[in-house]
Amino acid sequence: MIDVPAQKIRSKKSAHECFCLHFPEEEWPFHGGWGYSKDDAVVLDIEKDAFAVMFEPEFLEKRAIIETFFSQSKRSRCFGSKSRMLGQSLQCHDGKHYDVVTVEVTAIPFIFREELLKEYNDNNQFKDDRLGLEKYHKKMESKMIRYKTECWFDLSASWK
């Protein structure tokens, strides 16, 4: 895996607008920022949806897709992005409550897509070739990028 600096979304559109644009099939119970800091926190609409806190993992997954694909230039785009929670803490600042989540994001740069797809298909999707599939997975992993990032969720509405 190749460690890279954390990717950040720089868009003139709000986080909510970007989510609605790229994932229109979903309802997004939040407003505010991208969650890169307490000043840019994702504000969960707990008053509208009591289960908004359960939405955090989905937000992290979709934010990773936007970071690695939609907000990148064509030559820098990645596919197969995944986010994995590494840690979580409840913090209080200036009377506001935050859920701060540390995440590892992995993805594969598109420049490797054709090569990996060709190898996968040329080997009959590694059916009945467990060793070949293991080697293929190691090759995929060697081409992945990885970065760590945080996401701040403002939970203050639930403390009212």
Side-chain angles (χ1 to χ4, degrees):
M1 249 183 252
I2 303 159
D3 289 316
V4 299
Q7 309 293 300
K8 287 193 176 179
I9 299 161
R10 296 182 196 333
S11 174
K12 291 179 182 170
K13 292 185 169 119
S14 72
H16 191 266
E17 288 174 313
C18 286
F19 269 62
C20 290
L21 173 68
H22 298 303
F23 311 106
E25 66 284 354
E26 302 280 340
E27 291 280 327
W28 301 110
F30 77 95
H31 61 280
W34 289 102
Y36 294 118
S37 68
K38 71 178 171 67
D39 298 325
D40 182 45
V42 177
V43 181
L44 299 176
D45 294 334
I46 293 170
E47 292 173 349
K48 289 183 194 170
D49 184 349
F51 298 103
V53 174
M54 294 171 47
F55 149 81
E56 287 181 9
E58 187 173 5
F59 178 90
L60 295 167
E61 196 69 43
K62 301 293 190 198
R63 186 179 86 168
I65 293 169
I66 295 171
E67 287 170 343
T68 61
F69 183 81
F70 291 114
S71 69
Q72 297 293 323
S73 67
K74 245 186 176 172
R75 64 180 184 78
S76 298
R77 287 183 175 164
C78 295
F79 70 99
S81 68
K82 303 245 185 286
S83 64
R84 181 172 66 98
M85 189 184 302
L86 299 176
Q88 186 172 20
S89 66
L90 186 61
Q91 297 186 25
C92 186
H93 296 276
D94 302 321
K96 288 186 165 188
H97 296 83
Y98 299 92
D99 189 11
V100 183
V101 181
T102 304
V103 179
E104 176 186 78
V105 175
T106 58
I108 302 171
F110 254 97
I111 59 172
F112 302 118
R113 185 175 184 276
E114 291 302 319
E115 169 193 342
L116 291 168
L117 197 55
K118 182 178 181 342
E119 182 176 345
Y120 187 72
N121 289 330
D122 286 353
N123 288 285
N124 195 25
Q125 302 171 347
F126 296 99
K127 291 178 182 164
D128 303 319
D129 183 4
R130 195 167 164 194
L131 283 172
L133 185 60
E134 286 176 19
K135 281 184 185 177
Y136 177 75
H137 282 223
K138 285 183 181 179
K139 182 177 183 177
M140 279 180 58
E141 189 174 308
S142 74
K143 298 189 182 296
M144 282 182 182
I145 63 163
R146 171 177 61 189
Y147 60 91
K148 288 182 186 171
T149 187
E150 278 188 340
C151 192
W152 290 68
F153 293 95
D154 184 341
L155 306 177
S156 297
S158 63
W159 266 269
K160 289 183 179 179

